[in-house]
Amino acid sequence: MVEVLPPDAIEIAAAALAAGQLVAFPTETVYGLGADAGDPAAVTAVFEAKGRPSGHPLIVHLADPGDLDRHAATVTPEARKLAAAFWPGPLTLVVARGPGIAAETVGGLETVGIRVPDHPVALDLLRAFGGPVAAPSANRFGSVSPTTAEHVIEDLGRLIDYVLDGGPCPVGVESTIVDVTGSRAILLRPGGIAAPEIESVIGAPVVDGRSGPVRASGMLASHYAPNATVRLVEADQAAAIIDDAAAGGARVGLIAPFADRHRPSWQLPDDATGYATALYATLRAADRRGLDLVVVVPPSTGELRDAVLDRLYKAAAPRPA
Ligand code: TXA
Ligand code: MG
C-alpha cells in the first residue's frame, strides 16, 4: 500500500529510491513514478506497476542541467542551446544514451529522453538522491496522467511504495519531447513548451515527427476510461450533439471554455494554458459521474493549444484493441 509523504519528507523518499523502491513525485507538468534509472530491477517494477509494455522508453529526470553531459553519449549544439534556455522546465530532450542509464529504462534504445523538472519538490528529491531518476507519468497505462497525489493513489495506490504530495501540478500536461540527436530538431510530442519558442532558440524550424492520431475534421470518439466516450467538437456543434445523445437516453457531460446550462458541465479557461492546468482533473471528474458521453470543446487561443489539442485527440481516438 502506498504511503503518502508530505513534500518535505525528501530523505525518506530518496532512501526509498536508493533501495530500489517506487516513489511518485510532483513535477510542474504531471506526477511522475520515480525509480533509480540505473537499476534494472527498479525500472522493471515501474513497467509492471503501470501495466506498460516494456518497449516504451521512460523519461529520465536530472537535478542539474550540467549533468546532461554525464548521461548523454553526445550532445549536439541544438541540445545544448535548448537545455540552457528551458531547463529546469517542461522540455524533454532525446539524446544519444550515455552512462548511468539502464537499457531497461529506455526499452533497449540507444537514445534517452532527459529533462530537468521545474518543481521544488522534484528538484529536492533529485538532489538528495544524487543520480538520474526514471519517471513516466504515474498513471496506469492508457489512463490520463495524474496532476494530484489523489490521482496517483486512485491509479497506483496498491502498487507503489510512496507518493510525495506536493499539491496540484501547475502546467497540467506533459513535457514537450524533441529529438535532438541530429542537426534537425524533431517534435515527438507537443507539451509545456510551445514549438515556436523552441524554434526561436535554435533559429531553425522544428520538424513535426508525430506519427500520432490523424488530424481528421469532425468528431472522433473513443473510450478513455471504463465508461465515458469522449467526443471532441467545435463550440457551435456542442448543443446539437448533446441534445441528440440525451434524446437517445445517454447521460452526457460537457467540458468547454464557456458556461453552459447543461448539467453536468465543467467550464475551463478559454486560454489553453489555464485549460491545460485543469484538463486531466476535469476528465477524471467527468469519469466519476458515470457518464456515457463527454462532449469536449477545446480552448480557442493560447500557446499551449497544440499540446491541449494533442491530448484531446488522444482522449477521443479509438483505442487499439
Ligand atoms: O512531463 C513529462 O514528461 C512527465 C513527467 C513525469 O516528467 N513524464 C511523462 O513520461 O510524460 P511518460 O513515460 O508518460 O511519457 C514518455 C514519452 C513516451 O511517449 C515515450 O515514448 C517518449 O516519451 N520517449 C521517452 N524516451 C524516448 C526516446 N528515447 N525516444 C523517443 N521517445 C521517447
Ligand atoms: Mg504517460
Side-chain angles (χ1 to χ4, degrees):
M1 211 47 198
V2 65
E3 186 175 332
V4 181
L5 298 173
D8 61 355
I10 297 299
E11 292 306 325
I12 297 172
L17 288 175
Q21 293 186 297
L22 304 188
V23 178
F25 61 95
T27 78
E28 80 280 37
T29 58
V30 301
Y31 275 70
L33 177 57
D36 178 349
D39 178 344
V43 166
T44 301
V46 168
F47 284 98
E48 277 166 16
K50 278 186 65 85
R52 176 163 170 163
S54 59
H56 285 225
L58 307 181
I59 290 176
V60 169
H61 298 69
L62 302 179
D64 183 342
D67 292 343
L68 173 61
D69 289 274
R70 188 172 305 166
H71 300 293
T74 48
V75 179
T76 59
E78 288 72 21
R80 209 169 287 291
K81 281 185 206 164
L82 292 173
F86 296 113
W87 284 357
L91 177 67
T92 296
L93 298 175
V94 172
V95 298
R97 176 162 63 99
I101 312 296
E104 287 81 357
T105 300
V106 293
L109 295 177
E110 291 307 317
T111 57
V112 58
I114 295 182
R115 81 181 192 98
V116 177
D118 186 14
H119 192 288
V121 176
L123 289 171
D124 283 351
L125 176 64
L126 290 163
R127 283 190 204 107
F129 176 66
V133 172
S137 53
N139 52 281
R140 289 284 292 175
F141 185 64
S143 93
V144 298
S145 293
T147 55
T148 66
E150 290 72 30
H151 298 162
V152 176
I153 296 162
E154 258 169 45
D155 275 24
L156 300 174
R158 293 168 179 283
L159 302 169
I160 67 174
D161 300 295
Y162 294 103
V163 56
L164 277 167
D165 187 350
C169 301
V171 175
V173 293
E174 300 84 346
S175 60
T176 300
I177 304 179
V178 180
D179 180 332
V180 281
T181 53
S183 57
R184 291 179 4 132
I186 303 169
L187 179 71
L188 300 180
R189 177 176 77 182
I193 301 283
E197 282 195 73
I198 293 169
E199 293 175 331
S200 75
V201 167
I202 56 177
V206 173
V207 179
D208 193 339
R210 285 177 282 174
S211 52
V214 181
R215 294 294 183 270
S217 60
M219 298 178 300
L220 295 158
S222 97
H223 291 271
Y224 71 88
N227 300 303
T229 293
V230 173
R231 274 190 191 170
L232 184 56
V233 307
E234 303 291 341
D236 58 5
Q237 301 174 293
I241 288 165
I242 290 171
D243 289 348
D244 267 13
R251 286 174 44 81
V252 190
L254 172 67
I255 297 172
F258 48 78
D260 194 275
R261 280 163 46 211
H262 177 77
R263 289 292 174 271
S265 67
W266 292 265
Q267 183 182 1
L268 301 187
D270 193 35
D271 179 83
T273 301
Y275 195 109
T277 301
L279 176 61
Y280 288 151
T282 306
L283 287 173
R284 283 176 185 259
D287 210 42
R288 276 196 298 275
R289 297 291 284 263
L291 303 170
D292 302 302
L293 175 66
V294 179
V295 172
V296 183
V297 179
S300 63
T301 67
E303 274 209 311
L304 298 193
R305 192 160 181 275
D306 257 13
V308 167
L309 278 176
D310 176 81
R311 303 313 186 271
L312 291 176
Y313 277 114
K314 282 177 182 158
R319 279 226 179 141

